[in-house]
Each structure stands twice: as C-alpha cells, then as structure tokens.
Amino acid sequence: MARATVPQWVLINAVALALMILLPSVVPAEVTSKDSISSAPFGQATDGKAVELYTLRNRNGMEARIATYGGIVTSLTAPDRAGNYTDVVLGYDSLAGYLKDSPYFGALIGRYGNRIARGRFSLDGKIYTLAINNAPNTLHGGKVGFDKVVWTVEKAQVGADGPELTLHYLSRDGEEGYPGNLAVTAVYTLTEDDALHLAYRAITDKDTVVNLTQHSYFNLRGRGDILGHVAQINADRFTPVDSTLIPSGELRSVDGTAFDFRNPTAIGTRIENADEQQLRFGKGYDHNWVLNGPIGTVHLDATVYEPTSGRVLEVLSDQPGLQFYSGNFLDGSITGKDGRRYEFRNGFCVEPQHFPDSPNHSNFPSTVLKPGEQYRSTIIYAFSTR
Ligand code: GLA
C-alpha cells in the first residue's frame, strides 16, 4: 500500500495543535507556579533546636512566613486597593529578635492565652500555681509559653484550599504548672481568597485548662500608628478589668462607652477618654469583648478598615471572646523588620479566645478540657480591599 507523504508543515502544525490542546490540562501554569510552600533554615532556638521558616504563597501572590519557633507569623503580605502588596504584621527579620525580646509578635499562644489572676486556679479541688510572668498575674501560658517553643512540622503541602502547614507540640504534664500531657496541633492555611486560617486541635490525658489564640500585631497601612484604622466589633458587652487587667467577672454593656464598636469607629476616636477608668487601666484598649456569635460556630468577630490603603481585615472565629489590644506597651524600644522602630500603638492585636482568667470565673464559658474530649478552635484573618 502506497503511503501518502504528509507535507512536513502539516505534521508540525498538527503537533503544535495537539500541544496547545493538551498542555493546559497537564501543567495548569497559573496555579502551580504561584501556589507554593517552601522552607529555609531560620537559626537555632535557645534549647539548640533548629528552627525553620516556611513561606506559604497563594496564587494571587499573597505570602505568609511562619517560623517553627512559636508558630510565629513573621510576615504577612496583603494587597492594597491598587493591588500593591505590603507586609501588614509587626515582627523581626531574624530569629535573634524573637529570642531576645518579643511582646508575643505573631505567635501561637498557650497553654492558657491572656491572664490568670495571681497565677492560681483550682481544678477538681486541687490548687494549681503557675509562673508569675506579668506580675501579679500569669500571662500567655507562663515564662515559656507555646510562643517560645519549637513546634514540629507534621505536614507542609499545597492542599485543596491552598498551601498549609501543620505544626505539632506536646506540652508535658506539669509544664509551666498546668496539669496533663496536652498534644496540640495547629494548622495554618493560606487560602486562595486571601485569608490566613488557623485551626487548633488538642487532647489531654488529665483534666486541664486550655485557651489558645494567635497574637499577630497588624498595621494595615504597613507603618505609623493604627489610630486611623476604623474598627467594628460584633459585641454588645465586654468584660471590665481591674488595674492589673484581670476581669471582675461582670459582663458589661458597651452602650454609651468607648467600648462600643458596633458601628465602624476609628480606633483613636475615644481612646484618650480620660474619664473612662477602663481605658486608663488598659492604657488604651486591652480588653476582652463578649462576642455576639454562638460559641463553636465560626462567626464574624470584627472588621478593621484602613482608609488610605483600602485594606480590610475581617476576623472570624468560633470563640466566645475577642481580646482587642491597641499596642499600648509598644514604646519605640523595639526595632523590628526593615529597621523600623515600633512606637506607641504602631500595631493592634485581635485575639479570638475564651475570656481571660476563666478558670477563676464560673460564670464565664468553661476552658476545662477532659480526657476523651477534643479542644477545637478556628481563627481566620481574611483580607480584602475597599
Ligand atoms: C495581650 C495582653 C496585653 C499585652 C499583650 C502582649 O494582648 O492583653 O496586655 O500583654 O498581650 O504584650
């Protein structure tokens, strides 16, 4: 059978056509090239453990950098209304800064976030005493909280929702005075719709207390103070505190107070109201709001908008409370990334949590975790523009 010779140009075009049809399904150029997770050495912790810095990048180009030391978010970029990416969290360029002096910049917080009065609580009829690291109270888990340990990496992958990093820490029975071996997993996911998700899970082998949160300091403008940021908090009440920032136990209405953020209000509008004792105690905002959303279901806790850049941060969680802290202890003594000095109120924290000092307040939602139960909490920092 005589074979018809196919002109060469027909062959070449046929191959080219085949490639054009097939190529997109083989290598979807858009996702793979930008959707990634990678790691690099970040130094050694004081206990000699090696620390890694993971970079999570979604397909839009948003990036989160997370250290295995303290599960610290060292940088987080977000676009402004013109699409320019800027780092919107405070922190350091290197591990040394975090090891030397950090007011919990970007860290995972536990075993018990915020304060426990006088470092004492009783559980099952037994008194537990904790390290006093924020006299006269215990703050953020004690001297060596979850922010100052090296977490192990269980998984680092690009998952269905985007790049995700699974960290694990075993807090041994008696660590910092707390009862029970507590096995904690923290999963960070940087989603394709520009949100950083944090999912905590924890189990214990003895009755204990658990209150985990995230301690990023945000500045949506990337520099200067945060007084022009416009905040809205979905809470009708807050928990007033004493001069050492321990709740009195009251759930007070925000009505007619400087704590009413039910309508979008610039953070700086009322922050200096001298007649508000609570603001004097906090040196500004450093309080727990009682969220309106149901515990255990993810709800919108707060929205913060920065007018000059157009950046919007929405905070969602399944927690009963939100610590809103306006960076009142920042005093210019810390020089962070890019040589920037962090002055008074150069950053704010929005820490979804159970209420401070709950083990000492029976009217607060319980933070007791028993063997056989699983602690679960979800925190979402979602970015957009206006
Ligand atoms: C929390 C506390 C503040 C302060 C910061 C860290 O936000 O509520 O009082 O201690 O941590 O400095």
Side-chain angles (χ1 to χ4, degrees):
M1 189 180 74
R3 284 178 182 279
T5 55
V6 179
Q8 204 174 25
W9 64 267
V10 172
L11 263 180
I12 292 165
N13 283 343
V15 171
L17 188 62
L19 279 176
M20 277 160 61
I21 293 165
L22 288 174
L23 202 57
S25 59
V26 177
V27 186
E30 184 54 34
V31 176
T32 331
S33 63
K34 286 194 182 148
D35 206 348
S36 65
I37 183 163
S38 59
S39 72
F42 195 51
Q44 250 188 6
T46 35
D47 60 4
K49 284 196 181 124
V51 175
E52 294 285 309
L53 183 67
Y54 281 78
T55 300
L56 288 65
R57 190 184 164 91
N58 74 8
R59 70 175 62 136
N60 307 324
M62 185 173 176
E63 229 177 54
R65 293 217 163 118
I66 301 169
T68 54
Y69 178 76
I72 294 171
V73 177
T74 63
S75 75
L76 184 63
T77 63
D80 65 9
R81 62 167 73 85
N84 306 312
Y85 282 83
T86 292
D87 186 354
V88 293
V89 297
L90 279 55
Y92 292 106
D93 294 314
S94 70
L95 182 62
Y98 292 103
L99 297 178
K100 187 164 105 341
D101 169 23
S102 171
Y104 307 94
F105 283 145
L108 296 176
I109 299 290
R111 175 181 303 206
Y112 195 94
N114 216 284
R115 293 172 174 82
I116 291 185
R118 311 281 176 288
R120 285 166 62 89
F121 67 94
S122 85
L123 183 61
D124 305 332
K126 187 164 180 267
I127 300 285
Y128 291 91
T129 50
L130 311 171
I132 304 293
N133 62 325
N134 184 249
N137 307 312
T138 300
L139 176 65
H140 294 328
K143 284 204 173 76
V144 182
F146 293 179
D147 61 296
K148 295 184 182 69
V149 298
V150 178
W151 293 62
T152 53
V153 175
E154 213 165 279
K155 213 171 14 185
Q157 62 171 16
V158 175
D161 303 321
E164 66 183 46
L165 178 64
T166 302
L167 299 173
H168 185 78
Y169 180 64
L170 174 62
S171 174
R172 297 210 171 275
D173 182 21
E175 187 178 281
E176 293 293 324
Y178 294 98
N181 291 299
L182 185 77
V184 187
T185 300
V187 184
Y188 280 112
T189 307
L190 183 64
T191 65
E192 305 307 349
D193 57 1
D194 290 358
L196 184 65
H197 286 226
L198 172 59
Y200 274 123
R201 303 284 176 270
I203 54 171
T204 181
D205 60 1
K206 270 188 197 169
D207 288 9
T208 190
V209 293
V210 183
N211 186 23
L212 308 179
T213 191
Q214 217 290 337
H215 209 292
S216 284
Y217 288 68
F218 296 99
N219 185 319
L220 302 181
R221 200 156 48 112
R223 56 184 163 70
D225 68 47
I226 47 91
L227 298 175
H229 287 48
V230 177
Q232 183 179 20
I233 302 177
N234 299 326
D236 298 333
R237 297 171 296 170
F238 74 108
T239 51
V241 293
D242 65 17
S243 59
T244 73
L245 299 180
I246 292 295
S248 61
E250 181 192 352
L251 305 184
R252 186 181 295 174
S253 167
V254 296
D255 248 353
T257 76
F259 294 82
D260 189 349
F261 280 94
R262 288 172 295 185
N263 294 313
T265 310
I267 295 171
T269 307
R270 302 162 296 182
I271 201 166
E272 299 300 348
N273 285 14
D275 56 354
E276 292 245 16
Q277 182 196 48
Q278 285 299 312
L279 285 174
R280 289 200 305 279
F281 283 164
K283 297 184 183 55
Y285 294 110
D286 192 356
H287 297 78
N288 170 66
W289 272 255
V290 179
L291 295 168
N292 295 344
I295 301 178
T297 308
V298 173
H299 37 70
L300 179 62
D301 303 349
T303 304
V304 182
Y305 167 60
E306 198 287 306
T308 63
S309 66
R311 288 192 183 90
V312 177
L313 165 62
E314 288 177 305
V315 184
L316 301 96
S317 83
D318 53 6
Q319 294 298 294
L322 181 77
Q323 188 81 10
F324 173 50
Y325 166 57
S326 51
N328 316 310
F329 292 112
L330 299 173
D331 58 5
S333 63
I334 289 177
T335 298
K337 287 174 275 190
D338 316 321
R340 271 191 40 230
R341 275 156 58 101
Y342 293 139
E343 304 289 352
F344 189 48
R345 298 183 178 144
N346 273 197
F348 68 91
C349 304
V350 268
E351 308 157 53
Q353 57 178 18
H354 274 60
F355 303 169
D357 200 34
S358 294
N360 294 313
H361 295 274
S362 55
N363 65 320
F364 287 179
S366 172
T367 55
V368 175
L369 183 70
K370 294 179 178 301
E373 295 176 344
Q374 184 186 47
Y375 171 96
R376 306 169 68 92
S377 76
T378 298
I379 295 173
I380 301 170
Y381 296 123
F383 292 85
S384 57
T385 58
R386 241 185 248 161

